[in-house]
Amino acid sequence: MTDEVRSGLPMVVPEPLSDLETLQARLAVAEQREEAVRMVLRALIASLRPFGFDKKRFKRCVFEEGQDTPDEGPASVRHTVLNQEARRVLREAR
């Protein structure tokens, strides 16, 4: 990081990411998206019963996975994917 002075106040300007760092960040996000889809699939499998699909159990499983998901960093993207994919499963289960 470099320090620049503008109007008498120091300003911290982040250095641009290299191509490798950018790709690593994108890979980390893609891996977390994949993990979120796996979580939804595990919740779906846990919710299947011999006579149908237990929506309450599915919602509870997804909610618990969301509680264990961090709010910062690449893993935070799991919240969005969990929500989107769980809604898709519930919409198709009608």
Side-chain angles (χ1 to χ4, degrees):
M1 296 201 173
T2 61
D3 290 333
E4 295 180 13
V5 177
R6 180 183 285 172
S7 303
L9 298 173
M11 188 169 100
V12 177
V13 178
E15 295 183 21
L17 295 176
S18 69
D19 290 340
L20 178 60
E21 291 171 331
T22 302
L23 289 174
Q24 287 174 335
R26 291 177 67 186
L27 177 63
V29 169
E31 288 173 344
Q32 293 303 320
R33 291 181 64 84
E34 177 187 2
E35 180 60 28
V37 171
R38 288 176 191 240
M39 289 175 174
V40 172
L41 286 174
R42 281 194 299 266
L44 177 62
I45 291 169
S47 303
L48 294 176
R49 298 289 172 234
F51 297 108
F53 171 61
D54 187 351
K55 288 183 184 180
K56 286 183 182 179
R57 183 179 172 100
F58 176 75
K59 289 179 185 179
R60 187 177 67 246
C61 290
V62 171
F63 177 79
E64 289 171 359
E65 292 291 351
Q67 292 292 317
D68 296 337
T69 300
D71 291 334
E72 296 178 1
S76 65
V77 76
R78 283 192 265 169
H79 288 289
T80 303
V81 177
L82 282 170
N83 187 348
Q84 290 172 344
E85 297 303 319
R87 291 179 67 193
R88 181 176 292 147
V89 167
L90 292 170
R91 183 176 58 237
E92 295 298 325
R94 283 192 240 161

